[in-house]
């Protein structure tokens, strides 16, 4: 009994807690980084009061949110109102269960890992919808309406992008996806196990589409119409305060990190070093993973600062009339290429 | 395959929640709650799929049914603002008919189950078993046959979806009303400075 | 399935393949053609495509089973596919004038007709419960949309919705039946089911499955007691759509019903025969009695088609080659008569009122247009089954098969029902010839007159060229046994 169930159970629990803590701390600094980047582009200082260089700003915010009084509107549907932020953050965290941060460093290395992440990210829309409906107010509901259409639309192209990558890999396991990137275009060019082997080069259009769709899927600017402050005040989060609001913010940022991690795994070689030579391959894979994650997040942050928000019809046009045909074509083209060159 | 230990515990957990939430779907007063319970039922069904080793099906159920279909379903229910309480008031009148249909279907299920246990009318042959999950993942096993042996059905399914798509567009897309201005992206992008701005030297006091 | 098998399969299914690919090409043409000419371009090309496929079916005789036994192209399938294609082509051609007059110009309409036809052809060829169900859904889904295609008309929308809800219910029942059959035989292929059923004791579950399966199929041919949707849908849908509904889908559904019971359940004739006999009697009786009170000619045609399905089923109930041959001949004749009658209904058009649908509007048709009135009179006589017109020969074949199979009561009830049913056809003739003239109809479009003429010639001339058709039908029927 002990050896069969309790001991493995405890190990999984410990691993989960360790990942959770690491992730939350990481998120705190990512939030800080986001604000700093944003401020720097605008020639402001950004958070600089709490702690050295304002490094502890996120923790101060956390404390502030937690000790505030949660306000629940009287006309709201209380149960769903409180459930929404929980679902939002729990789902975002659940996605991390299958992400391998280094070889063998995943809590669950399941066969259909990529599908699991895709499923989790497609379920995230429920947090927004439930919040929008339960608030019983028109701005949140409009925000929820927009988000449902937006997230469902962009999932389609994300799905096709993932399919193209899977065609090249031949497995749905995240670790296999990373390991398959040891051998690719770069190897054919003579640079074995290098950054040229990763999928971003071979599938460059897909990489771009995935990056933009990831922005839309996580409601990041320039696609943050769900909470466009100039029209909807704060979208589905208007009526939220205190800890529930914190959970929404947390869920949002962890979902963003999840998408960054997915970008790293699908296109940027996961934990693999950029060149398989002396100083690079000494560094443990997990650092490469985190480094790449930060780089992708930096791109997310830069997009937020320099691209103006899309109008809703433009967003829908981009998703359905541009990305969908291109990604559909790329699926066919990639499959045909692999078939006729005999690579698959 | 008989589940034991932890597998059995999870099976009973998911099965219980699935049935309980299915009951809530029809008994909840608020239609939105009903849909949310329906989603919970789907979720548990997906979990049961995974438990039986059909991980691909389970995930597809999550992505397609919960992630897309149920979202739209939820939206329709949220926006319809139907007074379900008054609709339900008359529902009891139909209870006898409903019960009759239910009894017929249930008795048939019993017959089917009975045949399983008693052995009368057992299938003459059992469909070919699925490959061993250790040697071939069920995603790959599905791929092995769906594009070869079942290509015909796969393609008809595609045609059915095409018809559904055409139908949805035909029935909802109305011709644009006259006088509505639409953005033409191509035209906007193709616009040049020379086409839109004239630099004119205007003499003071004269005007154009 | 190897590549060679797949290529062979595609070769056998070439007509279906052409329709599938053609519909997608037409969709692209429709989307990118200029808006004002999209409908006429696509309609023209759609008719050309259907005629091309029909020609292919007539001149190339590529028979065999395909896709691992899920699809068969045999003489039976050829017979019904040709009927279905004729029904679709004529219905589409007849819609042209209507579309022009009623501003009913959606280019999706011909495409949906093609897709529905594709579904029907797949239904006719289905030799597995799986392909049968999927083909049926393809056809039904297209039909639901076509019924509701005139969005601005509340009746059309209602017709579509009603058809959809009841159709979905019947599909559900059929699927339940299929699952029971699969559960009790372990197979979905017709030949395997038939093999599993020989020589073993049949369980109650299988009977339940068969009953549910037949329920779903009876709904599709609108046989009593699953006919309730028919009058409302016929009345509500735009008239060219009604013409299409009365013609092509009936062919496919009847073909499917015949194939299922003779192919998959051919060894358990006794089990389904009584169900078919009941459905047949009920349909004939209701078709004869309920039509009497109708004043709307489309509703009347709905009851008429219910009755005709009952007569056709008499042949199936016999369960013999002669019986199935009777069904085939009957369906061919029904198709010709129905399309001809709907050409007249479409031509019932006044300058100030637009299309009219009441039977009393036909008053004085004989004075205003004696030639057309004569043709319509002949069609009505034929529908009533007056010798020596085609309708009589159709009934002759099915009743004869029933008598040969020893089903005397069924044949007698059928004759009585056709005598009763003759009343309302004769009433139309009386209104045309003896009632006070109303204002004239506008002169019928060329394509409508063509259809009227052709169906008139068919009905009158059947006594001459009926022999080859019957021989062809016998050949087709033998393919099943």
């Amino acid at each position: 009994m002990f050896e069969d169930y309790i001991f493995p159970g405890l190990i999984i629990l410990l691993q989960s807690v360790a990942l959770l803590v690491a992730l939350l701390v990481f998120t705190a600094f990512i939030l800080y980084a986001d604000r700093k980047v944003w401020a720097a582009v605008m020639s402001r200082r950004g958070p600089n009061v709490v702690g050295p260089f304002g490094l502890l700003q996120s923790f101060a915010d956390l404390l502030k949110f937690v000790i505030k009084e949660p306000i629940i509107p009287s006309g709201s549907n209380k149960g769903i109102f409180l459930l929404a932020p929980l679902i939002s953050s729990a789902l975002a965290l659940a996605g991390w269960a299958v992400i391998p941060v280094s070889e063998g460093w995943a809590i669950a290395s399941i066969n259909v890992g990529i599908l699991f992440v895709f499923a989790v990210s497609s379920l995230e829309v429920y947090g927004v919808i439930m919040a929008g409906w339960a608030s019983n107010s028109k701005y949140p509901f409009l925000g929820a309406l927009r988000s449902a259409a937006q997230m469902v639309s962009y999932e389609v192209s994300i799905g096709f992008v993932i399919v193209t990558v899977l065609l090249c890999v031949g497995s749905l396991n995240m670790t296999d996806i990373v390991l398959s990137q040891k051998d690719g275009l770069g190897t054919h060019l003579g640079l074995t196990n290098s950054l040229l082997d990763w999928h971003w080069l071979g599938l460059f259009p897909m990489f771009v589409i995935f990056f933009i769709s990831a922005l839309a899927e996580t409601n990041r600017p320039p696609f943050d119409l769900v909470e466009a402050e100039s029209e909807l005040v704060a979208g589905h989060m208007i009526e939220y305060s205190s800890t529930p609001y914190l959970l929404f913010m947390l869920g949002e940022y962890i979902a963003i990190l999840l998408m960054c991690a997915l970008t790293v795994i699908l296109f940027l070689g996961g934990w693999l070093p950029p060149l398989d030579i002396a100083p690079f391959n000494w560094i443990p894979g997990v650092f490469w993973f985190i480094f790449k994650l930060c780089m992708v997040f930096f791109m997310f942050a830069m997009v937020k600062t320099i691209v103006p928000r899309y109008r809703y019809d433009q967003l829908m046009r981009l998703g359905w009339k541009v990305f969908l045909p291109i990604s559909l074509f790329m699926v066919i083209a990639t499959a045909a290429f692999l078939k006729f060159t005999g690579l698959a | 395959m008989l589940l034991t230990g932890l597998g059995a515990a999870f099976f009973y957990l998911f099965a219980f929640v699935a049935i309980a939430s299915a009951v809530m779907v029809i008994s909840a007063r608020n239609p939105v709650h009903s849909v949310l319970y329906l989603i919970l039922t789907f979720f548990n069904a997906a979990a049961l799929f995974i438990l039986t080793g059909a991980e691909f099906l389970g995930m597809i159920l999550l992505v397609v049914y919960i992630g897309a279909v149920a979202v739209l379903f939820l939206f329709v229910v949220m926006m319809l603002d139907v007074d379900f309480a008054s609709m339900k008031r008359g529902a009891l009148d139909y209870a006898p008919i409903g019960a009759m249909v239910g009894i017929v279907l249930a008795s048939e299920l019993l017959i089917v189950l009975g045949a399983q246990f008693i052995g009368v009318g057992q299938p003459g042959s059992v469909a070919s078993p699925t490959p061993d999950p250790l040697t071939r993942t069920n995603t790959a096993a599905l791929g092995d046959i769906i594009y070869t042996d079942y290509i015909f059905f796969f393609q008809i399914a595609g045609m059915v979806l095409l018809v559904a798509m055409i139908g949805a567009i035909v029935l909802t897309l109305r011709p644009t009303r006259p006088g509505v201005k639409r953005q033409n992206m191509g035209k906007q992008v193709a616009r040049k400075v020379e086409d839109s701005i004239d630099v004119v030297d205007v003499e003071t006091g004269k005007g154009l | 399935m190897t590549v060679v098998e797949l290529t062979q399969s595609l070769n056998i299914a070439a007509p279906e393949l052409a329709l599938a690919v053609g519909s997608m090409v037409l969709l692209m043409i429709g989307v990118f053609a200029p808006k004002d000419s999209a409908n006429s371009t696509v309609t023209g090309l759609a008719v050309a495509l259907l005629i091309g496929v029909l020609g292919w079916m007539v001149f190339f005789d590529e028979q065999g089973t395909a896709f691992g036994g899920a699809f068969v192209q045999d003489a039976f399938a050829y017979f019904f596919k040709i009927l279905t294609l004729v029904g679709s082509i004529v219905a589409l051609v007849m819609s042209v004038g209507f579309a022009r007059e009623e501003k009913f110009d959606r280019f999706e309409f011909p495409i949906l007709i093609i897709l529905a036809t594709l579904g029907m052809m797949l239904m006719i060829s289905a030799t597995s419960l799986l392909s049968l169900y999927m083909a049926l859904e393809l056809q039904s889904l297209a039909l639901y949309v076509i019924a509701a295609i005139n969005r601005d008309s509340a009746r059309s929308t209602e017709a579509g919705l009603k058809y959809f809800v009841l159709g979905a219910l019947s599909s559900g029942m059929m699927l339940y039946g299929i699952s029971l059959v699969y559960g009790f035989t372990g197979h979905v292929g017709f030949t395997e089911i038939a093999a599993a059923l020989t020589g073993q004791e049949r369980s109650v579950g299988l009977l339940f499955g068969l009953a549910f399966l037949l329920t779903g199929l009876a709904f599709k041919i609108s046989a009593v007691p699953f006919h309730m949707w028919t009058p409302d849908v016929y009345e509500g849908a735009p008239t060219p759509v009604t013409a299409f509904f009365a013609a092509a889908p009936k062919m496919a559904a009847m073909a499917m019903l015949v194939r299922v019971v003779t192919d998959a359940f051919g060894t358990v004739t006794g089990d389904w025969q009584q169900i078919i006999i009941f459905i047949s009697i009920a349909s004939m009786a209701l078709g004869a009695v309920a039509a009497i009170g109708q004043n709307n000619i489309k509703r009347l045609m709905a009851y008429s088609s219910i009755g005709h399905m009952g007569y056709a089923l008499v042949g199936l109930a016999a369960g013999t080659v002669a019986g199935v041959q009777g069904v085939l001949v009957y369906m061919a004749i029904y198709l010709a008569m129905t399309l001809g009658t709907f050409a007249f209904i479409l031509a019932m058009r006044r300058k100030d009122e637009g299309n009219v649908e009441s039977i009393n509007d036909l008053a004085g048709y004989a004075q205003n247009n004696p030639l057309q009135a004569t043709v319509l009179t002949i069609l009505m006589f034929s529908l009533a089954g007056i010798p020596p017109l085609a309708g009589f020969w159709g009934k002759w074949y099915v009743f004869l098969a029933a008598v040969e199979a020893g089903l005397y009561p069924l044949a007698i009830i059928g004759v009585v029902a056709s005598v009763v049913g003759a009343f309302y056809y004769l009433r139309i003739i009386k209104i045309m010839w003896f009632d006070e003239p109303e204002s004239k109809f506008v002169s019928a479009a060329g394509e409508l007159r063509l259809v009227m003429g052709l169906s008139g010639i068919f009905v009158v001339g059947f006594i001459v060229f009926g022999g080859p058709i019957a021989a062809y039908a016998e050949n087709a029927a033998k393919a099943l046994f």
Side-chain angles (χ1 to χ4, degrees):
Chain A
M1 184 70 192
F2 181 81
E3 282 191 359
D4 280 347
Y5 296 128
I6 297 176
F7 188 62
L10 274 178
I11 293 214
I12 292 175
L13 195 68
L14 275 178
Q15 283 177 333
S16 305
V17 170
L19 179 76
L20 189 68
V21 170
L23 204 56
L24 291 180
V25 171
F26 190 63
T27 309
F29 288 108
I30 275 291
L31 242 163
Y32 166 79
D34 196 19
R35 295 169 71 175
K36 271 290 191 194
V37 171
W38 202 4
V41 174
M42 292 173 167
S43 302
R44 289 188 284 113
R45 279 173 193 274
N48 62 349
V49 178
V50 191
F53 310 107
L55 271 172
L56 299 179
Q57 179 66 42
S58 300
F59 298 96
D61 287 343
L62 171 86
L63 213 61
K64 185 185 80 181
F65 278 125
V66 171
I67 58 178
K68 268 190 170 179
E69 182 198 354
I71 297 166
I72 300 169
S74 60
S76 69
N77 198 313
K78 199 173 165 191
I80 298 181
F81 186 80
L82 291 177
L83 201 59
L86 282 175
I87 286 184
S88 198
S89 51
L91 278 174
L93 285 168
W96 276 89
V98 296
I99 299 282
V101 290
S102 182
E103 188 150 13
W105 283 32
I107 293 179
S109 176
I110 59 175
N111 282 335
V112 287
I114 188 83
L115 268 181
F116 179 79
V117 176
F118 186 52
V120 161
S121 76
S122 72
L123 294 187
E124 263 158 28
V125 68
Y126 280 109
V128 179
I129 297 184
M130 285 162 73
W133 181 78
S135 298
N136 195 17
S137 156
K138 55 177 169 277
Y139 293 123
F141 192 63
L142 281 172
L145 263 179
R146 285 180 173 188
S147 84
Q150 174 179 338
M151 290 166 93
V152 171
S153 305
Y154 278 85
E155 250 160 49
V156 180
S157 36
I158 288 192
F160 279 120
V161 173
I162 291 178
V163 169
T164 37
V165 175
L166 295 183
L167 281 173
C168 301
V169 177
S171 166
L172 275 70
N173 183 300
M174 300 282 239
T175 309
D176 290 348
I177 292 173
V178 173
L179 291 180
S180 80
Q181 298 184 51
K182 278 186 171 173
D183 174 31
L185 226 53
T187 310
H188 289 280
L189 297 172
L191 212 56
T192 313
N193 197 3
S194 68
L195 77 169
L196 296 180
D197 279 326
W198 303 341
H199 286 142
W200 69 269
L201 187 61
L203 299 168
F204 191 71
M206 295 280 96
F207 176 53
V208 174
I209 289 181
F210 186 82
F211 181 74
I212 299 173
S213 301
L215 290 174
E217 178 76 9
T218 50
N219 298 324
R220 277 289 284 194
F223 305 115
D224 59 340
L225 292 140
V226 177
E227 48 202 279
E229 65 267 24
S230 50
E231 319 150 26
L232 294 181
V233 192
H236 61 286
M237 294 190 287
I238 295 175
E239 305 290 347
Y240 283 88
S241 55
S242 168
T243 315
Y245 182 79
L246 175 77
L247 286 174
F248 264 127
M249 291 299 288
L250 191 71
E252 200 172 292
Y253 270 86
I254 289 178
I256 290 165
L257 286 181
L258 185 65
M259 274 298 167
C260 294
L262 210 53
T263 316
V264 171
I265 287 169
L266 289 177
F267 292 102
L268 299 176
W271 60 82
L272 300 175
L275 289 168
D276 199 12
I277 48 171
F280 292 118
N281 53 17
W282 289 347
I283 303 171
V286 62
F287 287 102
W288 281 119
F289 186 86
I290 292 173
F291 173 71
K292 288 173 188 174
L293 192 68
C294 292
M295 283 297 112
V296 178
F297 184 80
F298 179 69
M299 297 212 307
F300 266 63
M302 285 305 281
V303 170
K304 178 179 177 176
T305 61
I306 56 184
V307 183
R309 182 180 296 135
Y310 264 54
R311 211 173 53 209
Y312 197 69
D313 59 318
Q314 293 169 332
L315 170 92
M316 281 294 153
R317 181 183 170 277
L318 184 70
W320 289 107
K321 289 190 167 177
V322 180
F323 284 178
L324 182 60
I326 293 179
S327 51
L328 206 55
F329 172 76
M330 279 299 286
V331 170
I332 297 166
T334 311
F337 178 79
L338 291 173
K339 175 77 191 162
F340 291 120
T341 53
L343 286 173
Chain B
M1 186 178 69
L2 212 60
L3 289 169
T4 49
L6 208 56
F10 275 115
F11 171 79
Y12 286 117
L13 172 72
F14 292 133
F16 174 76
V17 177
I19 292 171
S21 53
V23 170
M24 288 307 289
V25 173
I26 49 171
S27 60
R29 275 170 186 278
N30 190 327
V32 174
H33 291 181
S34 287
V35 179
L36 290 174
Y37 279 117
L38 184 69
I39 291 161
L40 187 60
T41 315
F42 282 159
F43 196 85
N44 282 285
L48 288 175
F49 265 130
I50 293 167
L51 212 56
T52 52
E55 52 203 15
F56 184 77
L57 277 181
M59 287 301 159
I60 289 298
L61 189 69
L62 276 183
V63 174
V64 177
Y65 273 87
I66 310 180
V69 176
V71 173
L72 301 180
F73 200 58
L74 187 60
F75 253 96
V76 173
V77 174
M78 278 179 179
M79 292 204 287
L80 273 184
D81 195 29
V82 181
D83 186 9
F84 277 75
S86 67
M87 277 175 70
K88 276 189 177 165
R89 216 167 290 143
L92 267 186
D93 301 347
Y94 298 100
I97 301 175
M100 207 178 73
V101 174
I103 288 168
V104 169
L105 294 184
S107 59
E108 276 162 27
L109 273 180
L110 280 180
I111 293 167
V112 177
L113 276 180
Q116 274 293 317
F117 289 118
I118 305 162
V120 182
Q122 279 280 32
S125 74
V126 179
S128 55
T130 48
D132 182 14
L134 294 177
T135 55
R136 196 99 176 112
T137 64
N138 70 50
T139 314
L142 214 54
D144 284 342
I145 54 168
I146 206 164
Y147 297 107
T148 54
D149 294 352
Y150 290 88
I151 182 75
F152 180 57
F153 307 111
F154 188 73
Q155 293 292 342
I156 306 181
M159 294 307 288
V160 172
L161 291 177
L162 177 70
V163 170
M165 192 172 80
I166 297 174
I169 293 172
V170 168
L171 295 182
T172 51
L173 183 71
R174 318 307 293 274
T176 31
R177 278 165 286 140
V180 176
K181 285 184 180 163
R182 298 234 168 215
Q183 187 178 25
N184 185 339
M185 284 274 186
K187 227 171 159 181
Q188 279 187 340
V189 174
R191 224 163 94 109
K192 294 198 193 94
V193 179
E194 299 90 73
D195 304 334
S196 39
I197 297 177
D198 277 327
V199 182
V200 185
D201 235 348
V202 185
E203 272 184 58
T204 323
K206 284 258 177 96
L208 268 176
Chain C
M1 196 181 283
T2 61
V3 175
V4 178
E5 281 172 341
L6 196 63
T7 332
Q8 279 170 351
S9 299
L10 291 178
N11 210 6
I12 290 168
E16 282 78 9
L17 205 60
L19 280 188
V21 175
S23 67
M24 288 182 236
V25 172
L26 285 182
L27 196 59
M28 283 294 123
I29 292 174
V31 171
F32 289 108
K35 278 220 165 50
D36 41 343
S37 68
N39 181 42
S40 46
T41 314
V42 175
T43 310
L45 289 173
V47 172
L49 175 67
L50 288 168
I51 290 178
V53 172
L54 181 65
W56 178 284
M57 304 275 316
V58 171
F59 291 112
F60 294 91
D61 200 21
E62 187 81 43
Q63 297 198 354
T65 53
F67 301 113
F71 179 97
V72 68
Q73 200 84 286
D74 54 7
F76 179 81
Y78 268 94
F79 190 92
F80 266 118
K81 279 181 188 174
I82 288 170
L83 291 188
T84 306
L85 282 167
V86 169
S88 301
I89 292 167
V90 173
L92 195 53
V93 167
M94 289 200 300
S95 76
V96 173
F98 185 87
R100 201 170 39 235
E101 300 293 336
E102 299 283 312
K103 302 274 172 294
F104 165 69
D105 50 351
R106 304 293 297 262
F107 73 85
E108 289 93 344
F109 177 66
I111 291 169
L112 284 167
I113 295 253
I114 291 180
L115 287 167
T117 311
L118 171 66
M120 292 170 207
M121 289 173 67
L122 293 173
M123 273 158 76
I124 294 168
S125 278
T127 47
S128 136
L129 292 175
L130 199 53
S131 54
L132 177 145
Y133 177 72
M134 298 187 76
L136 182 72
E137 282 303 290
L138 176 59
Q139 178 244 23
S140 305
L141 205 56
L143 294 187
Y144 304 147
V145 180
I146 293 175
I149 198 160
N150 194 1
R151 269 291 309 276
D152 296 323
S153 149
R155 281 160 74 210
S156 172
T157 313
E158 187 202 337
L161 196 63
K162 206 171 245 175
Y163 192 23
F164 172 66
V165 171
L166 290 173
L169 185 70
S170 82
S171 290
M173 295 220 257
M174 195 168 136
L175 210 51
Y176 193 66
I178 288 175
S179 66
L180 283 176
V181 170
Y182 175 62
F184 280 90
T185 59
H187 294 285
V188 287
F190 288 176
T191 40
E192 290 90 350
I193 290 175
L197 288 179
T198 37
Q200 100 179 43
E201 204 181 322
R202 291 181 303 282
S203 52
V204 192
L206 183 77
L207 266 184
F208 271 117
L210 182 58
F212 271 102
L213 191 58
L214 289 180
T215 304
L217 294 170
F219 177 90
K220 298 297 170 194
I221 57 166
S222 67
V224 181
F226 311 105
H227 64 284
M228 285 84 89
W229 57 276
T230 321
D232 294 337
V233 172
Y234 274 37
E235 191 189 353
T239 314
V241 173
T242 315
F244 177 62
F245 277 17
K250 291 281 191 302
M251 302 297 129
M254 184 58 88
M256 192 168 77
L257 178 58
V258 172
R259 197 191 284 281
V260 169
V261 295
T262 54
D263 241 24
F265 300 98
T267 47
V268 290
T269 316
D271 289 345
W272 52 263
Q273 203 174 25
Q274 18 179 326
I275 303 177
I276 297 284
I277 290 175
F278 167 74
I279 292 177
S280 166
I281 292 175
S283 306
M284 288 188 293
L286 187 107
V289 176
I292 293 173
Q294 301 303 329
N295 261 327
N296 183 304
I297 194 155
K298 280 157 81 181
R299 275 188 96 82
L300 187 127
M301 284 309 288
Y303 284 106
S304 161
S305 83
I306 293 171
H308 282 294
M309 289 306 125
Y311 296 121
L313 287 178
V314 171
L316 181 59
T320 56
V321 175
V324 174
Q325 181 202 2
V327 176
L328 293 168
V329 174
Y330 200 97
M331 292 312 283
I333 293 168
Y334 166 80
L335 180 73
M337 297 189 299
T338 305
L339 289 173
T341 313
F342 270 99
F344 282 99
I345 297 175
L346 278 164
M348 286 168 62
R349 183 175 181 79
R350 293 220 174 83
K351 202 170 253 163
D352 43 345
E353 290 174 76
N355 275 56
V356 289
E357 294 174 0
S358 168
I359 291 173
N360 293 324
D361 286 313
L362 281 168
Y365 196 29
Q367 274 103 316
N368 294 337
N369 197 335
L371 183 65
Q372 283 182 17
T374 312
V375 178
L376 183 55
T377 307
I378 292 171
L379 279 178
M380 285 297 140
F381 275 131
S382 174
L383 281 168
I386 311 279
L389 301 169
F392 166 74
W393 293 107
K395 291 199 170 85
W396 169 263
Y397 276 105
V398 290
F399 290 151
L400 200 64
V403 169
E404 276 170 5
L407 299 170
Y408 298 106
L410 184 61
I412 292 168
I413 293 172
V415 172
V416 172
S418 49
V419 171
V420 175
F423 171 78
Y424 57 86
Y425 298 118
L426 297 178
R427 185 162 71 110
I428 295 176
I429 295 169
K430 178 236 160 200
I431 290 172
M432 273 196 298
W433 291 88
F434 301 111
D435 281 12
E436 283 304 304
E438 291 222 13
S439 57
K440 279 190 177 184
F441 296 135
V442 293
S443 71
E447 68 266 10
L448 294 181
R449 277 182 294 185
L450 181 71
V451 176
M452 291 171 191
L454 285 178
S455 79
I457 291 168
F458 181 88
V459 167
V460 175
F462 188 81
I463 193 163
V464 182
F465 51 75
I469 293 180
Y472 190 37
E474 190 181 4
N475 183 32
K478 275 183 185 154
L480 287 184
F481 288 91

